[in-house]
Amino acid sequence: MGIAPSLVDAARVKDEFIDLVSIASPSRREGAMARRLEAILKGMGASVEVDDAGEKVGGETGNLLARFAGNRSPAPPFLLSAHMDTVGPAEAIHPVVDGSIVRTDRTSVLGGDDKAGIVAILEAVRVLRERAIPHGDLELVLTICEESGLRGAKGFDTGRLRSRRGLVLDVDGVCELITRAPAANHLNATIHGLAAHAGICPEQGLSAIQLAAGAIAGMKLGRIDGETTANIGVIHGGLAGNIVPDRVAIRGEARSLSVPKLEAQTAHMRERFQAAVAGRSVRVGGRLHEARVEVEVRRQYEPLNISDDASIVGLVRAAAAARGRECPTRATGGGSDANVFAERGIEVANLGCGMREIHTVNEWVDLRDVVATAELVLETLRLNAVSG
Ligand SMILES: [Zn+2]
């Protein structure tokens, strides 16, 4: 059996991609992007709702939930999701087109993360509808604030979804499926020492910077093992060169594909901070001042962990095979909205959609990868309708 000719309209993909990346949409400022997408989706025949997640984050809009009624029953409903926001710099985006490659003038990111995913989803659904290809009900969730802690997805009520499986399109590469992504802990530590004049009476101070340095110097950071990473990303403290610093605030994180390993690494980091201040004190004017540390740990998201035997993996692989391709599964070190949907019991994987060198002003997209992704999504939706 040969491969059916592509039904995806490459010229339309190009026009829509340039249209959408040209709309700046940094996190919490996705309003114009949401209005544009709402118009597009309604034009395609969807019912569109905007939820209240935007109010929770002080943003311009909530998440979009678009529903397309299926034309074949019974067919299982299917979730497709991508995020509307981008990282910065993204005040104004000037796309530069060179053949099939789109980049920027390097004053901003491109925002192919995640507009490549949005365009692939829109094109797949558009072809499905205009060709009247049998499909089940479709639920599209286009989120806000993915780049600022998955806050849009976290604020979305997944109880509104009927889909039990689906795809998030939000990762680099093409025709690759992310089935494993780490759980992450955010860590805030505040070390309290005691201020003193650095020249006159340093022995009456306790340097919070020196205590922090001791804690961090003894800390396992970076790549801990094949599944686990850790980082201290921000350190902030001190007032002047002639003051023994009394306070340092430190922000870091740990991630692991394995929750027990995440907990062990987090405990290690906490213990290093506590050990660095333990027993450190100074007596000034008859009063004992003890150094202390407050460590706050917050779980940012739970892991994504989909078996290669899961139905969503089989479905996407069968779709790839029908397009003459393979679709390997892999793990990533980054979280995405897929972590949130998975935690809430929806079987999702994260499909590569052609974004490259993301989170930099060198970001680029090869439109042929977006077309290939749209073809893969289209075939996945077609097979979903006949899979029962
Ligand atoms: Zn993204």
Side-chain angles (χ1 to χ4, degrees):
M1 195 180 76
I3 296 160
S6 174
L7 299 173
V8 168
D9 184 335
R12 190 163 62 186
V13 165
K14 177 180 182 177
D15 290 348
E16 185 151 75
F17 183 75
I18 290 168
D19 174 32
L20 295 185
V21 295
S22 301
I23 302 170
S25 59
S27 303
R28 298 196 298 124
R29 288 166 49 205
E30 306 93 340
M33 180 71 182
R35 286 190 293 276
R36 179 85 186 102
L37 288 170
E38 188 171 355
I40 290 171
L41 289 160
K42 284 182 172 167
M44 290 166 62
S47 68
V48 182
E49 298 162 59
V50 182
D51 76 3
D52 62 356
E55 290 153 39
K56 297 173 194 164
V57 298
E60 293 175 348
T61 177
N63 303 297
L64 296 190
L65 169 58
R67 300 177 202 269
F68 291 91
N71 58 1
R72 181 190 191 275
S73 86
F78 197 87
L79 168 68
L80 291 165
S81 181
H83 63 87
M84 295 189 284
D85 64 314
T86 73
V87 294
E91 292 307 308
I93 316 259
H94 304 108
V96 176
V97 183
D98 180 9
S100 66
I101 307 296
V102 185
R103 52 176 81 250
T104 68
D105 60 4
R106 295 196 163 83
T107 61
S108 73
V109 297
L110 178 63
D113 175 7
D114 190 15
K115 289 163 189 177
I118 293 177
V119 170
I121 290 170
L122 292 176
E123 178 63 16
V125 174
R126 200 178 270 126
V127 172
L128 208 61
R129 310 274 300 169
E130 65 192 11
R131 303 267 176 170
I133 296 167
H135 63 88
D137 291 348
L138 302 177
E139 295 175 314
L140 273 54
V141 179
L142 301 175
T143 60
I144 58 171
C145 290
E146 191 275 346
E147 301 288 7
S148 66
L150 317 180
R151 287 185 295 166
K154 286 178 181 174
F156 179 76
D157 175 9
T158 40
R160 301 168 72 191
L161 298 177
R162 289 179 49 242
S163 304
R164 300 325 302 157
R165 65 179 176 179
L167 287 174
V168 170
L169 278 78
D170 184 20
V171 69
D172 58 355
V174 63
C175 224
E176 287 183 330
L177 203 54
I178 299 296
T179 50
R180 297 199 304 148
N185 278 341
H186 188 91
L187 186 142
N188 271 326
T190 308
I191 293 179
H192 300 271
L194 186 67
H197 192 294
I200 297 171
C201 52
E203 50 281 286
Q204 294 183 8
L206 275 171
S207 169
I209 287 179
Q210 200 167 25
L211 294 169
I216 295 166
M219 201 174 281
K220 290 179 280 179
L221 295 171
R223 163 111 11 232
I224 307 302
D225 61 39
E227 298 185 312
T228 312
T229 58
N231 186 50
I232 295 295
V234 176
I235 178 160
H236 191 85
L239 290 172
N242 60 2
I243 302 174
V244 176
D246 71 340
R247 188 175 177 280
V248 169
I250 296 148
R251 292 213 305 268
E253 63 157 40
R255 305 180 184 211
S256 183
L257 297 173
S258 152
V259 171
K261 285 181 176 177
L262 173 66
E263 301 300 4
Q265 173 64 22
T266 306
H268 159 73
M269 294 168 82
R270 184 193 289 275
E271 188 274 328
R272 289 308 310 158
F273 282 116
Q274 287 164 343
V277 301
R280 300 296 298 271
S281 63
V282 64
R283 188 170 289 278
V284 182
R287 187 170 158 220
L288 187 70
H289 297 265
E290 292 182 311
R292 61 190 174 87
V293 63
E294 295 149 10
V295 183
E296 284 171 16
V297 173
R298 193 164 33 82
R299 179 64 60 87
Q300 284 186 291
Y301 43 82
E302 298 297 330
L304 175 70
N305 191 1
I306 303 286
S307 159
D308 274 6
D309 298 329
S311 74
I312 185 64
V313 177
L315 189 67
V316 175
R317 282 187 160 163
R323 300 305 312 163
R325 302 188 68 145
E326 291 188 354
C327 187
T329 59
R330 65 177 172 95
T332 177
S336 75
D337 288 345
N339 291 60
V340 178
F341 290 120
E343 183 189 347
R344 299 191 187 163
I346 302 174
E347 189 184 272
V348 290
N350 187 355
L351 181 66
C353 55
M355 57 177 79
R356 309 281 179 182
E357 293 188 59
I358 59 171
H359 296 204
T360 77
V361 296
N362 299 317
E363 188 190 354
W364 57 281
V365 161
D366 186 335
L367 291 166
R368 291 173 298 188
D369 290 340
V370 184
V371 167
T373 305
E375 285 171 350
L376 184 55
V377 173
L378 172 61
E379 188 63 24
T380 300
L381 296 176
R382 202 183 64 74
L383 290 181
N384 177 65
V386 296
S387 69

